[in-house]
Amino acid sequence: MLIDSHAHLTMPQFAADLDAVIDRANGCGVGEVLDIGYDRAGMDETLALADGYGSVYASLGLHPHEARNYDDGFEDELKKNIMRRKVLAVGEVGLDYYRDLSPRDIQRDVFRRQIGLALYFGKPIVVHSRQAFEDVVRILEEEGAKEVGGIVHAFSGSLEEARRVIDLGFLIGIGGPVTYRKSKLPDVVSRLPSNAFVLETDCPYLPPEPYRGKRNEPAYVRLVAEKVAGILGVTIEDIERAAEVNYRYLLHGERDIPPRIAYELKGNIYVNVTGSCTNNCRFCVRLRRSNFLYGYNLNLVTDPTVDEMVAAVRELATGDQHREIVFCGYGEPTCRLHDILAVARRLSDLGLPFRINTNGHGNLINRRNIVPELEGAVQKVSVSLNAPDRDTYMHLCRPDAGVRAFDSLIDFIRKASASALDCEVTALDCPEIDTDRCRTLVEGIPGARFRTRKFHFNTCED
Ligand code: SF4
């Protein structure tokens, strides 16, 4: 389901055709809209909207433009309404030093007071920040807003600013500007981890292409999702799922998402083979705040059995829309070599090629050359190299086997590249990794192909 996490449906622009606007949104797969209160008069209208439409929820707060009108009366109203069933957040609140419609010291004070309410009532915060990023982050930090988290809506900052928002426990709100021709947002979005964003319209403002200059509306959040999918190289369904789970996790407190054994991503079926690994990479996705990958919980409690893996893949492989079956996981699949070979044999009737995403320690783990066994069962191996030399590998990947691991990994690449397997070797394009040297190393191995993988701030999500 698509969700518009930031809309202003109480604006006069929607007065004449609100029913049609909401019908159009539902017709485009937008199953939920968070309507954002921004002033005193709008609070009741937002609440009425949420009461009147099943798919509309509310966030209440005073916009920084209106900060000079904040008083005890408004605060009492906010307190009275904040725990109503469909009120999910406090906002939009924050600072706007671009238009400066309220004095800055009052904006800061009102921002702090509303953060205090959010903390008191345990509600996430919807943040407006315009030319005030440093003060916004400082105040959120000083007030301990990480405890409830929130969304920095209509994010338009740099990569470094996005990193700071995420470190604060907040989500990035991506809206129409990501579709604009000269926007720098796509560069930032291309690095976002999939558990770090939600989608929004900010309607009636900021319409995406091709509706610039016209009224924006929740149905257009699909255009934002399509653009983000293109940037990240995944399907629109992947973006829809990721953004929905991120939103529900934050706004509805839906955290009990069962772990997945098999899941669809980028048109492939991935098999989550194990949570055990012989490396302890500094950038491993397992080390981050939540283990959600495009909305999937991959944090296995126990490794799945062969029967469970086969059944989970068969449940997904109902049509002909998949390109390959990939053994991966938050761990090293060749730790369970015997089992993945059994799964591949039992699923061979599906007619799909098999790939293993591996750290290349398979020979070390299994104390033999496993390439001939792989050759009979899978078509492709994708090996994470991530270091051009032993010392860097020791520092970044911290292998259990110590210095032997890098030599064994290179030996595995040589053997796999010389076999019938299609052997791809990858390195993350993060600052600590010299991808040029990795490429040179791989290009010196006959048959091996090199590919850089996008680094998503702090993880190897690709
Ligand atoms: S090899 Fe992969 S799964 Fe293992 S620690 Fe490194 S990033 Fe994580």
Side-chain angles (χ1 to χ4, degrees), residues 276-286 329-332 358-359 361 384 386 393 396-397 428 453 460:
S276 304
C277 191
T278 49
N279 269 348
N280 304 281
C281 302
R282 292 179 189 276
F283 41 75
C284 184
V285 78
R286 297 182 300 172
Y330 283 173
E332 171 49 33
T358 173
N359 64 12
H361 295 188
S384 300
N386 289 330
Y393 195 76
L396 283 180
C397 299
L428 288 167
R453 291 159 63 207
C460 53

mmCIF file of all heavy atoms in Angstrom, residues 276-286 329-332 358-359 361 384 386 393 396-397 428 453 460, ligand 1:
data_model
loop_
_atom_site.group_PDB
_atom_site.id
_atom_site.type_symbol
_atom_site.label_atom_id
_atom_site.label_comp_id
_atom_site.label_asym_id
_atom_site.label_seq_id
_atom_site.Cartn_x
_atom_site.Cartn_y
_atom_site.Cartn_z
ATOM 1 N N SER A 276 24.227 -16.660 10.475
ATOM 2 C CA SER A 276 25.615 -16.843 10.927
ATOM 3 C C SER A 276 26.579 -16.434 9.831
ATOM 4 O O SER A 276 26.351 -16.702 8.647
ATOM 5 C CB SER A 276 25.888 -18.316 11.256
ATOM 6 O OG SER A 276 24.976 -18.760 12.199
ATOM 7 N N CYS A 277 27.684 -15.819 10.228
ATOM 8 C CA CYS A 277 28.682 -15.425 9.239
ATOM 9 C C CYS A 277 30.080 -15.600 9.812
ATOM 10 O O CYS A 277 30.270 -15.543 11.033
ATOM 11 C CB CYS A 277 28.469 -13.974 8.817
ATOM 12 S SG CYS A 277 29.484 -13.543 7.373
ATOM 13 N N THR A 278 31.033 -15.792 8.911
ATOM 14 C CA THR A 278 32.424 -15.938 9.339
ATOM 15 C C THR A 278 33.166 -14.610 9.259
ATOM 16 O O THR A 278 34.367 -14.563 9.507
ATOM 17 C CB THR A 278 33.129 -16.991 8.460
ATOM 18 O OG1 THR A 278 32.844 -16.680 7.081
ATOM 19 C CG2 THR A 278 32.663 -18.382 8.794
ATOM 20 N N ASN A 279 32.470 -13.562 8.874
ATOM 21 C CA ASN A 279 33.011 -12.203 8.932
ATOM 22 C C ASN A 279 32.230 -11.382 9.945
ATOM 23 O O ASN A 279 31.108 -11.755 10.355
ATOM 24 C CB ASN A 279 32.887 -11.502 7.568
ATOM 25 C CG ASN A 279 34.121 -11.698 6.702
ATOM 26 O OD1 ASN A 279 35.157 -12.166 7.178
ATOM 27 N ND2 ASN A 279 34.020 -11.326 5.437
ATOM 28 N N ASN A 280 32.780 -10.274 10.287
ATOM 29 C CA ASN A 280 32.106 -9.317 11.173
ATOM 30 C C ASN A 280 32.320 -7.916 10.594
ATOM 31 O O ASN A 280 32.917 -7.047 11.220
ATOM 32 C CB ASN A 280 32.698 -9.404 12.580
ATOM 33 C CG ASN A 280 32.617 -10.810 13.142
ATOM 34 O OD1 ASN A 280 31.560 -11.224 13.604
ATOM 35 N ND2 ASN A 280 33.711 -11.555 13.064
ATOM 36 N N CYS A 281 31.834 -7.721 9.376
ATOM 37 C CA CYS A 281 32.136 -6.487 8.635
ATOM 38 C C CYS A 281 31.602 -5.259 9.373
ATOM 39 O O CYS A 281 30.489 -5.270 9.900
ATOM 40 C CB CYS A 281 31.523 -6.542 7.251
ATOM 41 S SG CYS A 281 32.094 -7.937 6.289
ATOM 42 N N ARG A 282 32.391 -4.201 9.325
ATOM 43 C CA ARG A 282 31.993 -2.972 10.008
ATOM 44 C C ARG A 282 30.723 -2.386 9.412
ATOM 45 O O ARG A 282 30.001 -1.654 10.073
ATOM 46 C CB ARG A 282 33.121 -1.936 9.908
ATOM 47 C CG ARG A 282 34.348 -2.320 10.688
ATOM 48 C CD ARG A 282 35.463 -1.315 10.567
ATOM 49 N NE ARG A 282 36.670 -1.862 11.175
ATOM 50 C CZ ARG A 282 36.931 -1.808 12.472
ATOM 51 N NH1 ARG A 282 36.085 -1.234 13.286
ATOM 52 N NH2 ARG A 282 38.043 -2.346 12.957
ATOM 53 N N PHE A 283 30.467 -2.675 8.146
ATOM 54 C CA PHE A 283 29.310 -2.078 7.469
ATOM 55 C C PHE A 283 28.145 -3.057 7.366
ATOM 56 O O PHE A 283 27.194 -2.814 6.644
ATOM 57 C CB PHE A 283 29.714 -1.642 6.052
ATOM 58 C CG PHE A 283 30.607 -2.634 5.367
ATOM 59 C CD1 PHE A 283 30.091 -3.807 4.868
ATOM 60 C CD2 PHE A 283 31.971 -2.416 5.279
ATOM 61 C CE1 PHE A 283 30.904 -4.740 4.263
ATOM 62 C CE2 PHE A 283 32.801 -3.331 4.664
ATOM 63 C CZ PHE A 283 32.267 -4.511 4.152
ATOM 64 N N CYS A 284 28.230 -4.177 8.088
ATOM 65 C CA CYS A 284 27.188 -5.211 7.910
ATOM 66 C C CYS A 284 25.819 -4.673 8.319
ATOM 67 O O CYS A 284 25.667 -4.001 9.330
ATOM 68 C CB CYS A 284 27.503 -6.451 8.736
ATOM 69 S SG CYS A 284 26.306 -7.762 8.449
ATOM 70 N N VAL A 285 24.859 -5.016 7.516
ATOM 71 C CA VAL A 285 23.482 -4.588 7.744
ATOM 72 C C VAL A 285 22.966 -5.114 9.095
ATOM 73 O O VAL A 285 22.081 -4.541 9.706
ATOM 74 C CB VAL A 285 22.623 -5.059 6.547
ATOM 75 C CG1 VAL A 285 22.289 -6.521 6.622
ATOM 76 C CG2 VAL A 285 21.415 -4.199 6.350
ATOM 77 N N ARG A 286 23.594 -6.196 9.584
ATOM 78 C CA ARG A 286 23.146 -6.759 10.861
ATOM 79 C C ARG A 286 23.420 -5.826 12.038
ATOM 80 O O ARG A 286 22.846 -5.970 13.101
ATOM 81 C CB ARG A 286 23.866 -8.088 11.135
ATOM 82 C CG ARG A 286 23.569 -9.152 10.118
ATOM 83 C CD ARG A 286 24.240 -10.443 10.448
ATOM 84 N NE ARG A 286 25.699 -10.311 10.497
ATOM 85 C CZ ARG A 286 26.520 -11.246 10.916
ATOM 86 N NH1 ARG A 286 26.039 -12.390 11.346
ATOM 87 N NH2 ARG A 286 27.813 -11.076 10.901
ATOM 88 N N GLY A 329 21.127 -13.801 2.752
ATOM 89 C CA GLY A 329 20.807 -13.760 4.171
ATOM 90 C C GLY A 329 21.678 -12.772 4.887
ATOM 91 O O GLY A 329 22.535 -12.122 4.294
ATOM 92 N N TYR A 330 21.418 -12.626 6.151
ATOM 93 C CA TYR A 330 22.295 -11.804 6.989
ATOM 94 C C TYR A 330 23.361 -12.727 7.555
ATOM 95 O O TYR A 330 23.553 -12.847 8.753
ATOM 96 C CB TYR A 330 21.489 -11.166 8.116
ATOM 97 C CG TYR A 330 20.667 -9.985 7.683
ATOM 98 C CD1 TYR A 330 19.780 -9.393 8.550
ATOM 99 C CD2 TYR A 330 20.802 -9.440 6.410
ATOM 100 C CE1 TYR A 330 19.028 -8.291 8.172
ATOM 101 C CE2 TYR A 330 20.054 -8.350 6.025
ATOM 102 C CZ TYR A 330 19.171 -7.784 6.908
ATOM 103 O OH TYR A 330 18.435 -6.696 6.523
ATOM 104 N N GLY A 331 24.025 -13.406 6.655
ATOM 105 C CA GLY A 331 25.017 -14.382 7.061
ATOM 106 C C GLY A 331 25.629 -14.991 5.816
ATOM 107 O O GLY A 331 25.373 -14.540 4.701
ATOM 108 N N GLU A 332 26.412 -16.043 5.998
ATOM 109 C CA GLU A 332 27.131 -16.637 4.886
ATOM 110 C C GLU A 332 26.476 -17.964 4.464
ATOM 111 O O GLU A 332 26.530 -18.950 5.213
ATOM 112 C CB GLU A 332 28.603 -16.859 5.298
ATOM 113 C CG GLU A 332 29.423 -17.668 4.330
ATOM 114 C CD GLU A 332 29.293 -17.175 2.877
ATOM 115 O OE1 GLU A 332 29.128 -15.958 2.646
ATOM 116 O OE2 GLU A 332 29.331 -18.032 1.975
ATOM 117 N N THR A 358 28.006 -14.548 -1.574
ATOM 118 C CA THR A 358 28.903 -15.181 -0.607
ATOM 119 C C THR A 358 30.050 -14.261 -0.219
ATOM 120 O O THR A 358 30.429 -13.373 -0.989
ATOM 121 C CB THR A 358 29.463 -16.498 -1.203
ATOM 122 O OG1 THR A 358 30.459 -17.034 -0.319
ATOM 123 C CG2 THR A 358 30.096 -16.293 -2.576
ATOM 124 N N ASN A 359 30.605 -14.510 0.963
ATOM 125 C CA ASN A 359 31.818 -13.784 1.343
ATOM 126 C C ASN A 359 33.074 -14.496 0.833
ATOM 127 O O ASN A 359 34.191 -14.068 1.124
ATOM 128 C CB ASN A 359 31.880 -13.556 2.858
ATOM 129 C CG ASN A 359 31.989 -14.849 3.655
ATOM 130 O OD1 ASN A 359 32.241 -15.920 3.102
ATOM 131 N ND2 ASN A 359 31.809 -14.752 4.963
ATOM 132 N N HIS A 361 34.241 -17.425 1.640
ATOM 133 C CA HIS A 361 34.951 -18.271 2.607
ATOM 134 C C HIS A 361 34.552 -19.740 2.502
ATOM 135 O O HIS A 361 34.911 -20.540 3.363
ATOM 136 C CB HIS A 361 34.662 -17.814 4.046
ATOM 137 C CG HIS A 361 35.173 -16.444 4.383
ATOM 138 N ND1 HIS A 361 35.164 -15.921 5.651
ATOM 139 C CD2 HIS A 361 35.732 -15.483 3.598
ATOM 140 C CE1 HIS A 361 35.668 -14.689 5.641
ATOM 141 N NE2 HIS A 361 36.009 -14.403 4.404
ATOM 142 N N SER A 384 31.653 -11.084 -2.290
ATOM 143 C CA SER A 384 31.996 -9.780 -1.697
ATOM 144 C C SER A 384 33.489 -9.742 -1.400
ATOM 145 O O SER A 384 33.981 -10.495 -0.561
ATOM 146 C CB SER A 384 31.233 -9.569 -0.390
ATOM 147 O OG SER A 384 29.860 -9.593 -0.625
ATOM 148 N N ASN A 386 35.480 -6.409 -1.196
ATOM 149 C CA ASN A 386 35.481 -5.261 -0.279
ATOM 150 C C ASN A 386 36.836 -4.817 0.246
ATOM 151 O O ASN A 386 36.901 -3.960 1.138
ATOM 152 C CB ASN A 386 34.536 -5.509 0.920
ATOM 153 C CG ASN A 386 33.093 -5.458 0.483
ATOM 154 O OD1 ASN A 386 32.765 -4.746 -0.469
ATOM 155 N ND2 ASN A 386 32.238 -6.210 1.142
ATOM 156 N N TYR A 393 41.325 -5.927 4.488
ATOM 157 C CA TYR A 393 40.271 -6.921 4.739
ATOM 158 C C TYR A 393 40.157 -7.209 6.242
ATOM 159 O O TYR A 393 39.061 -7.273 6.794
ATOM 160 C CB TYR A 393 40.586 -8.205 3.969
ATOM 161 C CG TYR A 393 39.413 -9.145 3.858
ATOM 162 C CD1 TYR A 393 38.375 -8.886 2.973
ATOM 163 C CD2 TYR A 393 39.337 -10.301 4.634
ATOM 164 C CE1 TYR A 393 37.289 -9.732 2.867
ATOM 165 C CE2 TYR A 393 38.267 -11.164 4.535
ATOM 166 C CZ TYR A 393 37.237 -10.879 3.646
ATOM 167 O OH TYR A 393 36.161 -11.725 3.547
ATOM 168 N N LEU A 396 38.450 -4.119 7.852
ATOM 169 C CA LEU A 396 37.044 -3.849 7.524
ATOM 170 C C LEU A 396 36.114 -5.037 7.776
ATOM 171 O O LEU A 396 34.994 -4.865 8.233
ATOM 172 C CB LEU A 396 36.921 -3.447 6.054
ATOM 173 C CG LEU A 396 37.334 -2.033 5.658
ATOM 174 C CD1 LEU A 396 37.136 -1.848 4.166
ATOM 175 C CD2 LEU A 396 36.518 -1.003 6.432
ATOM 176 N N CYS A 397 36.619 -6.226 7.458
ATOM 177 C CA CYS A 397 35.722 -7.391 7.478
ATOM 178 C C CYS A 397 35.898 -8.262 8.724
ATOM 179 O O CYS A 397 35.050 -9.100 9.024
ATOM 180 C CB CYS A 397 35.925 -8.231 6.221
ATOM 181 S SG CYS A 397 35.551 -7.284 4.722
ATOM 182 N N LEU A 428 32.019 -2.519 -2.121
ATOM 183 C CA LEU A 428 31.168 -1.372 -1.799
ATOM 184 C C LEU A 428 31.894 -0.075 -2.114
ATOM 185 O O LEU A 428 33.104 0.035 -1.863
ATOM 186 C CB LEU A 428 30.828 -1.375 -0.307
ATOM 187 C CG LEU A 428 29.856 -2.440 0.174
ATOM 188 C CD1 LEU A 428 29.875 -2.504 1.688
ATOM 189 C CD2 LEU A 428 28.455 -2.123 -0.330
ATOM 190 N N ARG A 453 29.248 -1.908 -5.621
ATOM 191 C CA ARG A 453 27.907 -1.896 -5.038
ATOM 192 C C ARG A 453 27.730 -0.607 -4.248
ATOM 193 O O ARG A 453 28.673 -0.130 -3.622
ATOM 194 C CB ARG A 453 27.717 -3.082 -4.093
ATOM 195 C CG ARG A 453 27.680 -4.413 -4.812
ATOM 196 C CD ARG A 453 28.009 -5.530 -3.856
ATOM 197 N NE ARG A 453 27.042 -5.637 -2.799
ATOM 198 C CZ ARG A 453 27.308 -6.143 -1.588
ATOM 199 N NH1 ARG A 453 28.536 -6.540 -1.302
ATOM 200 N NH2 ARG A 453 26.376 -6.229 -0.676
ATOM 201 N N CYS A 460 25.697 -2.319 3.876
ATOM 202 C CA CYS A 460 25.906 -2.970 2.591
ATOM 203 C C CYS A 460 24.586 -3.545 2.124
ATOM 204 O O CYS A 460 24.403 -4.728 2.101
ATOM 205 C CB CYS A 460 26.883 -4.121 2.770
ATOM 206 S SG CYS A 460 26.360 -5.221 4.088
HETATM 207 S S1 SF4 B 1 30.137 -10.982 4.890
HETATM 208 FE FE1 SF4 B 1 28.123 -10.043 4.613
HETATM 209 S S2 SF4 B 1 26.813 -11.029 6.175
HETATM 210 FE FE2 SF4 B 1 28.946 -11.443 6.734
HETATM 211 S S3 SF4 B 1 29.463 -9.834 8.199
HETATM 212 FE FE3 SF4 B 1 30.102 -9.150 6.144
HETATM 213 S S4 SF4 B 1 28.393 -7.957 5.352
HETATM 214 FE FE4 SF4 B 1 27.622 -9.150 7.092
#
